[in-house]
Amino acid sequence: MGAGHGHGHGVDAAADRRLLSGALALILAFMAAEVIVGFAAGSLALITDAAHMLTDAAAIALALVAIRLSARPPAGGFTYGLKRVEILSAQANGITLLLLAAFFLYESVARMIHPPEVEGALVLITGVVGIAVNLVATWLISKANRTSLNVEGAFQHILNDLFAFVATAVAGLVVLLTGFTRADSIAALVVAILMLKAGIGLVRDSGRIFLEAAPASFDPQALGAELCAVPGVVEIHDLHVWEITSGEPAASAHIMVQEGLDCHQIRGQIEALLAERHHLTHSTLQVDHASADDQTAHCSDAHGTSHRPIPT
């Protein structure tokens, strides 16, 4: 029986908090101004952007809370600590994006059918200023640890808002030059589609972690075959690969080795293989000697595929 553990993730949570806090301050300041201008200009694109910026602010605030909670050490029944709070935050961000996308898809279509008057100059000016603000916010968050799905969720919100302001500025220019007010609704429609795409990605990725699926970069079948190729291994079963939180994969397995061989040495070889080839440093391996008498008993309640070396 043995276990190998490593946690050198190299994440500076304090730096992430500073970067996210800077982005949050920018977003809140500009959002307040955009709401006023949006209603004054009668622009759905601006109001869409403002609502999206509100979710940006909520996403960043939630990310900040999640970073602080996930840094707490394991205690009581939470043997992994609160690391998956970050994934809850990412999933909340994804669901929010999907709900907003649905609402603005509906509003965009309705306004294309019955287009209201839109002040193109105000929309253009606000869109250009919004691009500048979101470029700075996007840059700040891009410097944080984006391997965290939580931070990535906040980044996707801000990035979509940047695209939204580009579309808004273009719409404002079109309205100003041509009087084609439906351009505003078309811009909102483009933003809604981008929100939909980002939301689906966040919900999908966070859902994989909650369902304890193997990370996308892992093929459990191929990994089982690779581990069985270690000299002395007779069989591997109960092989599980999952993510504790984003960027922190873990594995466990029951390994049967030939009688008379050193279980500890083989376990060490497998741990080194997992760490060096797959960057999987959090592993828990049970290693036993195989015999004709107890091999069936060991495998009677195995979960998933039993892996055995390919005969040569």
Side-chain angles (χ1 to χ4, degrees):
M1 181 83 79
H5 304 281
H7 302 281
H9 304 294
V11 177
D12 188 344
D16 283 355
R17 286 197 296 270
R18 287 193 298 272
L19 291 165
L20 289 170
S21 296
L24 178 60
L26 280 172
I27 294 300
L28 287 173
F30 187 73
M31 181 189 70
E34 189 179 21
V35 169
I36 297 171
V37 176
F39 280 107
S43 168
L44 178 62
L46 285 181
I47 296 170
T48 301
D49 289 338
H52 193 191
M53 291 191 84
L54 178 61
T55 67
D56 292 343
I60 296 172
L62 191 58
L64 286 166
V65 172
I67 289 172
R68 187 172 294 277
L69 289 176
S70 66
R72 292 184 178 180
F78 296 94
T79 57
Y80 280 125
L82 296 173
K83 292 180 181 294
R84 282 200 177 170
V85 170
E86 292 192 332
I87 310 305
L88 282 171
S89 170
Q91 191 164 73
N93 286 336
I95 291 171
T96 302
L97 282 169
L98 292 178
L99 293 174
L100 283 172
F103 174 74
F104 287 121
L105 283 170
Y106 172 81
E107 285 293 319
S108 299
V109 172
R111 287 205 172 200
M112 278 193 280
I113 296 171
H114 302 290
E117 290 297 320
V118 176
E119 293 291 336
L122 283 176
V123 174
L124 175 60
I125 293 169
T126 308
V128 171
V129 175
I131 290 171
V133 170
N134 274 267
L135 276 173
V136 176
T138 302
W139 175 76
L140 285 171
I141 298 183
S142 71
K143 292 173 68 65
N145 174 38
R146 285 181 56 203
T147 61
S148 163
L149 197 59
N150 172 48
V151 175
E152 179 64 16
F155 178 79
Q156 286 297 331
H157 269 271
I158 301 299
L159 185 62
N160 273 275
D161 226 12
L162 175 59
F163 293 149
F165 278 111
V166 171
T168 298
V170 171
L173 183 61
V174 170
V175 172
L176 183 63
L177 296 178
T178 68
F180 181 63
T181 58
R182 285 186 174 88
D184 183 76
S185 299
I186 293 171
L189 183 63
V190 170
V191 175
I193 292 171
L194 291 172
M195 292 166 68
L196 186 66
K197 180 177 180 293
I200 289 172
L202 285 171
V203 171
R204 180 194 62 229
D205 292 344
S206 59
R208 284 184 63 87
I209 292 176
F210 281 129
L211 293 173
E212 299 197 334
S217 59
F218 281 87
D219 180 350
Q221 298 300 315
L223 182 62
E226 185 178 0
L227 299 183
C228 280
V230 174
V233 173
V234 173
E235 180 181 303
I236 294 178
H237 53 264
D238 284 346
L239 173 61
H240 301 289
V241 185
W242 71 100
E243 284 186 287
I244 298 168
T245 187
S246 51
E248 193 170 332
S252 64
H254 189 184
I255 300 169
M256 311 298 293
V257 303
Q258 293 176 10
E259 286 191 287
L261 297 182
D262 187 338
C263 287
H264 299 291
Q265 182 184 29
I266 293 175
R267 188 198 71 231
Q269 291 175 1
I270 292 176
E271 288 174 351
L273 184 154
L274 290 172
E276 293 169 7
R277 294 188 188 177
H278 302 284
H279 306 290
L280 209 164
T281 55
H282 190 118
S283 59
T284 303
L285 308 175
Q286 177 182 348
V287 185
D288 291 302
H289 286 115
S291 69
D293 295 331
D294 63 7
Q295 190 167 345
T296 302
H298 276 302
C299 300
S300 61
D301 193 31
H303 298 97
T305 304
S306 293
H307 304 274
R308 296 180 179 85
I310 300 173
T312 56

